[in-house]
Amino acid sequence: MRNLLKVRDFSALDTFLSKASDMDRILSLRENGHDVAIDSMKSRVLGTLHLEPSTRTQMSFESAMARMDGKVVRIADNNSSLKGESLSDTIQTMSQYVDAMVVRTTSYIEKWGDPKKWDCPVINGGDGDAEHPTQALTDIYTIYKRLGEYSGLNIAIIGDLEKGRTVHSLVNILRYFDAQFFLYGNDLPDTYGRYANTVVLESEDDLFDVLPEIDVLYLTRTQFERGGSAPLFQLSEGHMEILPHDSLVMHPMPRTSELNPKFDDDPRCIYFEQSKNGVPVRMAILDWIFEDDKLYIIA
Ligand code: ASP
């Protein structure tokens, strides 16, 4: 049984990206009216246990499951945690009702209980301010689809680096692929940045010096619900002017004041395409979760 709890659980990025490309191609064919069947989730049930707000992760997983002929059940807001049930009991119980589940909580996966007690694979859909592996895979797939590569890139990551979990997972994968990171905002915790090739930018002037060399500008919002108090950055016309014409501006969304909608029509601003890519990527993740798992193969 395969869980996807941290990005380090994930190997074979190339194979994964080609699987996501296949899913993406199938979805485009269908959008263009072709009847392409993919029913690898038939008779399977995905549970989504999102105990924190979620739009993209929850909906793209549910859509991915539906597009592969699977079914989804979600926990109701009035679940037994209101009676004081522990998170680990809730997860263990729900794992008995479904074939795989996606969990999002304010607490770290270490509080999710003992994986040996889970009856099905569990996917981390965001654990507090720690990790968000499936968002990082969506981000990398988006970069790969647009630039044709994901290694050796100059990536500026700007905003809430301390509590922005998508950044933690992204750095933790791309550090294996020769990424040069330029960080601007609050501090990336050591746990995530220690082995990465990073330059910490101290001022906006430093940022202006590096922007002309950037392949990917990755913005994040301040995590106000995790104690963040002030906006840390605001993308301006000045930044956009010196960013290379073939660079990408990305954001895991939702956005706040750091990213003004006036930039949405700029061809470099691909954050809505990035969220759309969440569907083929999560289709590929669901497929990957069940691969080699003979127990789940229906004869
Ligand atoms: N949607 C992303 C997350 O759940 C980013 C964010 O909320 O800022 O972490």
Side-chain angles (χ1 to χ4, degrees):
M1 194 164 73
R2 270 174 179 174
N3 297 313
L4 175 51
L5 298 177
K6 290 183 177 279
V7 286
R8 66 153 192 258
D9 293 340
F10 210 85
S11 56
L13 192 55
D14 262 341
T15 319
F16 175 77
L17 293 175
S18 90
K19 195 188 272 279
S21 299
D22 290 345
M23 298 300 188
D24 208 355
R25 252 191 308 278
I26 291 172
L27 292 177
S28 311
L29 284 167
R30 284 186 182 171
E31 266 177 26
N32 291 315
H34 299 276
D35 184 17
V36 190
I38 167 156
D39 60 359
S40 47
M41 294 299 132
K42 199 166 175 190
S43 309
R44 288 189 169 132
V45 179
L46 176 74
T48 55
L49 177 63
H50 284 219
L51 301 174
E52 257 195 358
S54 178
T55 298
R56 279 149 285 270
T57 305
Q58 173 144 359
M59 296 314 296
S60 60
F61 262 115
E62 294 189 359
S63 169
M65 197 64 186
R67 288 178 190 283
M68 294 193 286
D69 281 2
K71 296 204 166 45
V72 178
V73 293
R74 331 173 150 182
I75 198 144
D77 286 342
N78 59 347
N79 62 73
S80 290
S81 65
L82 300 177
K83 300 181 196 164
E85 184 167 60
S86 69
L87 182 58
S88 55
D89 282 359
T90 305
I91 293 177
Q92 186 177 341
T93 304
M94 189 158 168
S95 78
Q96 303 174 115
Y97 302 150
V98 294
D99 301 308
M101 62 195 280
V102 186
V103 179
R104 165 173 293 195
T105 62
T106 46
S107 47
Y108 297 152
I109 51 171
E110 287 72 17
K111 292 271 160 63
W112 291 6
D114 180 356
K116 288 197 282 302
K117 296 194 173 154
W118 300 338
D119 265 17
C120 75
V122 172
I123 300 167
N124 180 355
D127 64 319
D129 62 17
E131 282 224 35
H132 194 343
T134 72
Q135 178 66 46
L137 292 171
T138 303
D139 299 340
I140 294 167
Y141 175 67
T142 303
I143 293 171
Y144 169 71
K145 186 174 168 184
R146 276 298 189 124
L147 302 181
E149 60 188 342
Y150 55 88
S151 51
L153 299 174
N154 284 338
I155 306 179
I157 306 190
I158 302 180
D160 197 341
L161 313 180
E162 188 191 346
K163 303 217 183 271
R165 57 192 173 195
T166 72
V167 166
H168 302 160
S169 295
L170 187 65
V171 170
N172 251 355
I173 303 187
L174 285 186
R175 72 186 169 87
Y176 290 109
F177 298 96
D178 287 335
Q180 170 67 61
F181 298 103
F182 297 93
L183 308 177
Y184 184 61
N186 54 15
D187 290 343
L188 181 69
D190 243 16
T191 345
Y192 304 108
R194 191 174 315 142
Y195 305 106
N197 205 2
T198 58
V199 172
V200 176
L201 305 170
E202 302 292 346
S203 68
E204 277 221 46
D205 283 349
D206 294 346
L207 180 62
F208 272 98
D209 288 343
V210 302
L211 283 180
E213 308 300 326
I214 287 302
D215 300 301
V216 177
L217 179 71
Y218 190 98
L219 295 170
T220 64
R221 73 185 168 99
T222 300
Q223 302 279 305
F224 295 105
E225 73 275 38
R226 301 187 210 288
S229 55
L232 293 157
F233 177 77
Q234 196 162 30
L235 187 68
S236 71
E237 313 277 1
H239 301 124
M240 292 302 281
E241 255 165 47
I242 58 169
L243 257 187
H245 70 274
D246 54 355
S247 61
L248 307 175
V249 178
M250 299 177 65
H251 193 304
M253 307 290 256
R255 61 176 153 191
T256 51
S257 58
E258 70 285 349
L259 179 53
N260 192 307
K262 72 181 174 195
F263 296 117
D264 290 1
D265 292 332
D266 186 303
R268 294 167 292 181
C269 291
I270 57 158
Y271 24 88
F272 282 102
E273 178 182 327
Q274 185 182 350
S275 13
K276 183 171 182 181
N277 288 337
V279 177
V281 167
R282 272 125 187 167
M283 287 167 78
I285 289 170
L286 290 167
D287 237 34
W288 175 82
I289 284 286
F290 289 111
E291 233 172 47
D292 305 331
D293 197 335
K294 302 287 182 284
L295 282 178
Y296 288 91
I297 290 175
I298 295 156

